[in-house]
Amino acid sequence: QVQLVESGGGLVQAGGSLRLSCAASGRTFSAYGSGWFRQAPGKEREFVAGISWNGASTHYADSVKGRFTISRDNVKNTVYLQMNNLVPEDTAVYYCAADKWGQGRPGQESYVYWGQGTQVTVSS
């Protein structure tokens, strides 16, 4: 079992930055890929960014490429999402998830553990 706890969300003006953190505990987190997803009101949950178990590979949704950066620290069992140049369309609840296949690729079928989410609100 892996437990995931997100933090770092909040209210920010357009053009601002936030860094989300996902702290993991339980089984060997470093064996799992990691992903960040988000869900806006009235919309389906969507993939934002993912990273492989060793940090060698990263994947991003087109909407965040060049603005968001995912990273991980396997010593601290923590995954980060640095979000820059935020726009109102980034407003959503952001979820961290663990990928059993270790790759952090888009697609939710391989993500077996999920956090409770953290709210990000971007004002115009």
Side-chain angles (χ1 to χ4, degrees), residues 46-61:
E46 63 176 358
F47 174 82
V48 175
I51 189 167
S52 59
W53 65 275
N54 60 357
S57 299
T58 56
H59 311 276
Y60 295 94

Side-chain angles (χ1 to χ4, degrees), residues 11-55:
L11 174 64
V12 63
Q13 289 187 334
S17 298
L18 283 174
R19 188 176 82 154
L20 304 184
S21 298
C22 173
S25 61
R27 297 181 64 182
T28 307
F29 179 67
S30 60
Y32 291 83
S34 297
W36 285 96
F37 294 77
R38 67 186 181 187
Q39 187 167 21
K43 295 187 178 181
E44 293 186 352
R45 187 167 58 189
E46 63 176 358
F47 174 82
V48 175
I51 189 167
S52 59
W53 65 275
N54 60 357

Side-chain angles (χ1 to χ4, degrees), residues 17-124:
S17 298
L18 283 174
R19 188 176 82 154
L20 304 184
S21 298
C22 173
S25 61
R27 297 181 64 182
T28 307
F29 179 67
S30 60
Y32 291 83
S34 297
W36 285 96
F37 294 77
R38 67 186 181 187
Q39 187 167 21
K43 295 187 178 181
E44 293 186 352
R45 187 167 58 189
E46 63 176 358
F47 174 82
V48 175
I51 189 167
S52 59
W53 65 275
N54 60 357
S57 299
T58 56
H59 311 276
Y60 295 94
D62 288 343
S63 59
V64 307
K65 281 181 181 177
R67 300 189 298 122
F68 291 12
T69 302
I70 188 170
S71 60
R72 66 187 298 157
D73 184 335
N74 284 342
V75 173
K76 296 182 178 179
N77 278 354
T78 302
V79 179
Y80 304 97
L81 185 67
Q82 178 67 44
M83 305 186 295
N84 298 328
N85 195 20
L86 285 160
V87 298
E89 291 74 24
D90 294 320
T91 295
V93 177
Y94 283 71
Y95 299 91
C96 175
D99 169 24
K100 65 180 180 180
W101 292 341
Q103 298 303 309
R105 294 183 182 277
Q108 301 184 37
E109 64 275 5
S110 64
Y111 290 86
V112 292
Y113 300 110
W114 293 81
Q116 293 300 305
T118 185
Q119 176 70 47
V120 171
T121 303
V122 184
S123 63
S124 58

